[in-house]
Amino acid sequence: MTWDITGMAAIANIGASPEEIFAALCAGQESRTPLKAFDPEKYRAAYAYEIDDRPAGGDIPRRATRWLTTVVRQAAADAGLGEDLSQIPVLVGTTMREQRSLELWWRDGVDVALEDLHFGTALKAAFGASTTYTFANACSATLYALGLATDMIEAGTADTVVVAGTDAATESGFGTLDRVQNGIPDALRPFDATHKGMLMGEGAAAVVVQRAGTGNGPVHARVRGVGMNCDAHHATAPDPDGITRAVLDAHRRAGVRARDIDLVMLHGSGTPLNDAAEAGVLRRIFDGAGSGPRMTAIKAMTGHTLGGSGLLSLVMAVLAMKEGTVPPVLGLTEPIPEAAGLGLVRGVPAAGPLAIAQIDAFGFGGINAVAIVEAAR
Amino acid sequence: MSTTSIARRRIPNVREVVVTSIGLALPGVATYGDLLGPLPGAGGFDVATGLSGRELRHKDRASRLALRAAESALHDAGLTDDAAAFTGAADETAVVVSTNLGNADSVCEAAATIAGAGVRALSPLGLPQTSSNVTAGWVAIRYGLRGPNLTVCNGATSGLDALAWARNLVVAGRAEAAVVVGVEPANDVATKLLGRQSTDVAVAVVLEPAHAAASRGARPRATIAGYARAPDLSGALAAAGVAQEESVGLWLGDEAEAGARRLLAATRHIDLEAQLGPLSGALGILQCAAAAAHFESGATGRVLATAGGHGHDAAAALLLTP
């Protein structure tokens, strides 16, 4: 069984549509900016990958919600669904929910209600949607949600599901990460020997997933399968065994072998622990799979967009397959030893036919989700 | 009308999913049988003594409460040994947590600390609870549960939604069992956000396919028979497969929900939040525990649990049978 992706939308620091973001990734210009969202005096890290849409003079609540409703509207329009989603489930993956609003409420007295913390409230107001779910599944949230959407369609409870994700940077998250990272990263440099850690980005992404052949418009790509699991190992550090099981589960569900994969969108969070674990796992999985797939890591330019990052990688994979082009990993000059032999794209975009992509997303709590998507021809 | 009713579009050979155990960490409620009232009763979880211990150190309050409830549920299910280690199929066991306020205190405290003294004043041990899924991670780690791990933060209906998603994971074959936890901690942030005194509550249930429970000799306490999330209560009832003309043995839901009593007849009605205080993301799981108490008491009729509705983004209904 496969599922059609018939609508896509995304917003990030480097663009307000999938096409803009993809073009920026291919152009490969440095995208980090000095930290503006929070008082830089309070932090060690000096850079982030923010969406620069705050008004002058301070932060405002519900930015993550606004991005979410924007990308859901755009993805629904792309699929020809219109703005009435009363009959369509909307599954939202997020790391932080509206915790940034909660911080502003607690510390500055900004008006925020309990009902604003989850996204059903805004989806009801904007689209009349009521079968809405907010899954706080850390940085694998949107690929988890994608897997749950395919389960719903397979079970016969829906033919069309909107899957989306959104996150705004929180002071508690950005600050605690800043506190614990050993080095202070100036930029997010996945798989490069100079990588020092993760820096947050902000963004949202949405796709419309439909039972095969039931949509009205063109099919962008097809979901072949989504694997999901938990390391049950460590609260914040990744576990190679858990990641391996998630990748193999995704391959099994999709009915593909390692040598069938043409492109891997890496989780690539730029932390030494993640990069070593992910690279080591992929070396073993793709060992003997011919020349191996091309690989790229978009967080080098978007920062870590948290819950929505998996879906943003997926949307970029779809465009990469359409264009036959893989954007490079910005700033990757000397790969870490664990990544030796992997087909990491460096310097300029790589051209070539791409039929099947693997997308990785790993999160705190040791939760992993891996999606396999094939080009629509 | 919801498109996600599981009763209306039931597919053949769908795996029947049953509740096989219940664990509580709830002041004033000693066992789930007490949920039939009057509440609160004597005894129950003592937060002064129950939230300490080596394995709870450095964890947020919601995770400590949840670990106590999960410990009790897994013991009750016969899925832990004398050393409290998990003995079930760890790779195939899911964890699903429902919470709305679980890490709200951690988030607000960190933001306030940074404003006062910068990031150097933060504890590095606070990193996990900056993410809303912290509790599901700790439960999985404590018992080595490597199946799907899901945190549902979905407002008033969150607990009922979590039960439905846990059931979906089992029906889809992604898990052979699921530990479903509803948890909310009491603290100043929660009290201010709720607009009334917050309560410490954690409740855990284990879901399994009926055939798996039968083959290992586990006693089913309740069966999940229908679920829907819809714009309002009447829509949720219809989509969950509850006809207006029929009567249920027990209705667990909000007394004040406008016009609720006109929607269908119930032999008995219990409003857990009216007796125990705000339960938020834990409500639906606690309603599931009360349903099991109803069936265990020998009372007849199906049990309907409802949440949300007026003043919320949706209403949800969960139908349970013996």
Side-chain angles (χ1 to χ4, degrees):
Chain A
M1 194 169 191
T2 65
W3 300 268
D4 293 345
I5 295 175
T6 56
M8 303 196 298
I11 178 170
N13 61 325
I14 52 172
S17 70
E19 292 75 17
E20 279 184 23
I21 297 166
F22 188 74
L25 290 170
C26 289
Q29 299 296 310
E30 182 56 69
S31 56
R32 64 162 199 200
T33 52
L35 180 64
K36 260 176 86 173
F38 317 133
D39 177 1
E41 297 291 310
K42 308 287 188 189
Y43 297 85
R44 303 191 303 162
Y47 295 93
Y49 298 84
E50 300 165 28
I51 292 179
D52 190 10
D53 64 356
R54 294 177 183 80
D59 204 352
I60 52 170
R62 290 175 288 272
R63 289 167 67 245
T65 296
R66 194 172 70 205
W67 302 329
L68 175 74
T69 54
T70 299
V71 295
V72 167
R73 179 175 290 110
Q74 290 172 350
D78 187 32
L81 296 179
E83 298 216 351
D84 176 4
L85 301 181
S86 59
Q87 304 298 312
I88 296 174
V90 184
L91 312 189
V92 182
T94 179
T95 296
M96 302 293 190
R97 302 179 282 158
E98 271 294 356
Q99 286 172 198
R100 176 55 182 158
S101 298
L102 194 66
E103 292 175 348
L104 294 168
W105 164 81
W106 180 250
R107 207 191 51 205
D108 303 338
V110 170
D111 187 27
V112 172
L114 178 60
E115 294 289 316
D116 293 336
L117 274 185
H118 69 291
F119 297 107
T121 303
L123 294 169
K124 173 76 176 292
F127 310 110
S130 61
T131 46
T132 56
Y133 298 95
T134 297
F135 298 112
N137 255 42
C139 301
S140 59
T142 37
L143 294 190
Y144 252 89
L146 180 68
L148 297 176
T150 63
D151 289 350
M152 284 184 97
I153 295 170
E154 188 167 0
T157 51
D159 289 333
T160 301
V161 183
V162 177
V163 178
T166 189
D167 268 302
T170 63
E171 283 194 74
S172 53
F174 190 90
T176 312
L177 194 72
D178 190 0
R179 170 72 181 81
V180 302
Q181 294 198 128
N182 290 327
I184 305 166
D186 290 334
L188 199 159
R189 291 286 176 252
F191 304 100
D192 192 73
T194 65
H195 62 176
K196 284 186 181 166
M198 188 263 259
L199 285 174
M200 272 183 203
E202 298 186 313
V207 299
V208 175
V209 184
Q210 299 196 281
R211 184 182 301 282
T214 62
N216 298 319
V219 175
H220 293 301
R222 297 187 178 86
V223 180
R224 291 278 298 257
V226 184
M228 58 178 80
N229 73 353
C230 180
D231 297 338
H233 174 71
H234 190 277
T236 54
D239 174 40
D241 290 344
I243 292 172
T244 301
R245 286 191 305 111
V247 173
L248 296 178
D249 183 35
H251 288 188
R252 184 184 59 78
R253 288 173 180 277
V256 299
R257 298 155 300 183
R259 65 174 173 271
D260 298 325
I261 309 284
D262 302 308
L263 169 66
V264 177
M265 303 298 289
L266 297 151
H267 179 66
S269 64
T271 68
L273 276 176
N274 171 83
D275 292 355
E278 185 175 20
V281 166
L282 295 182
R283 263 176 68 173
R284 284 189 293 280
I285 285 183
F286 291 105
D287 183 34
S291 59
R294 308 270 196 185
M295 300 189 184
T296 193
I298 69 170
K299 292 182 182 73
M301 286 195 64
T302 64
H304 196 335
T305 58
L306 307 178
S309 65
L311 201 61
L312 184 59
S313 284
L314 183 144
V315 169
M316 292 302 107
V318 172
L319 293 187
M321 291 192 290
K322 282 189 176 190
E323 306 281 327
T325 301
V326 183
V329 184
L330 181 70
L332 179 59
T333 52
E334 186 191 347
I336 56 173
E338 292 85 350
L342 295 182
L344 287 161
V345 180
R346 284 192 260 170
V348 294
L354 306 164
I356 297 184
Q358 168 183 325
I359 301 99
D360 292 352
F362 316 133
F364 276 7
I367 52 178
N368 311 304
V370 177
I372 306 295
V373 176
E374 73 176 0
R377 298 274 188 245
Chain B
M1 195 64 66
S2 164
T3 52
T4 57
S5 157
I6 56 173
R8 207 157 44 92
R9 296 179 61 177
R10 185 183 290 273
I11 56 169
N13 304 320
V14 70
R15 293 212 279 181
E16 190 170 75
V17 176
V18 298
V19 178
T20 55
S21 81
I22 292 143
L24 298 179
L26 178 56
V29 185
T31 74
Y32 69 92
D34 294 349
L35 290 169
L36 299 177
L39 292 171
F45 188 73
D46 180 358
V47 294
T49 58
L51 292 179
S52 57
R54 193 178 59 85
E55 72 279 16
L56 301 185
R57 281 177 63 197
H58 305 310
K59 294 182 175 69
D60 60 296
R61 190 176 185 90
S63 295
R64 287 184 283 149
L65 285 162
L67 284 164
R68 286 294 183 233
E71 178 182 35
S72 173
L74 289 170
H75 176 77
D76 180 46
L79 289 171
T80 47
D81 62 18
D82 291 344
F86 187 69
T87 57
D91 281 351
E92 314 295 333
T93 300
V95 175
V96 181
V97 169
S98 168
T99 186
N100 289 309
L101 299 156
N103 70 332
D105 56 335
S106 303
V107 166
C108 291
E109 281 164 22
T113 298
I114 294 166
V119 295
R120 287 177 179 81
L122 292 170
S123 166
L125 299 170
L127 186 60
Q129 52 261 37
T130 62
S131 182
S132 303
N133 73 322
V134 54
T135 296
W138 284 129
V139 172
I141 289 165
R142 167 64 184 84
Y143 294 100
L145 307 179
R146 293 184 289 268
N149 187 282
L150 197 63
T151 297
V152 183
C153 302
N154 212 39
T157 65
S158 198
L160 297 179
D161 301 334
L163 288 162
W165 281 105
R167 176 189 179 281
N168 286 358
L169 289 171
V170 172
V171 169
R174 289 190 187 270
E176 285 300 319
V179 181
V180 189
V181 183
V183 62
E184 300 291 0
N187 54 57
D188 293 345
V189 171
T191 295
K192 188 176 172 196
L193 206 49
L194 289 160
R196 53 189 171 141
Q197 183 59 48
S198 55
T199 37
D200 279 314
V201 50
V203 50
V205 302
V206 173
L207 300 188
E208 297 175 73
H211 67 84
S215 69
R216 73 180 188 91
R219 181 170 58 90
R221 317 284 172 95
T223 303
I224 295 178
Y227 160 81
R229 195 178 201 263
D232 55 31
L233 194 53
S234 63
L237 293 181
V242 183
Q244 281 206 15
E245 61 273 19
E246 72 181 302
S247 175
V248 296
L250 172 62
W251 185 352
L252 294 151
D254 184 353
E255 288 268 20
E257 180 60 24
R261 288 181 176 281
R262 285 185 282 108
L263 290 173
L264 85 166
T267 308
R268 190 170 182 198
H269 187 274
I270 294 177
D271 183 344
L272 292 171
E273 287 195 303
Q275 303 172 78
L276 293 171
L279 300 168
S280 198
L283 172 64
I285 323 290
L286 203 61
Q287 289 172 326
C288 177
H294 174 82
F295 298 132
E296 203 142 290
S297 75
T300 57
R302 304 192 292 175
V303 175
L304 176 69
T306 61
H310 185 71
H312 301 282
D313 58 312
L318 187 80
L319 188 63
L320 297 122
T321 56

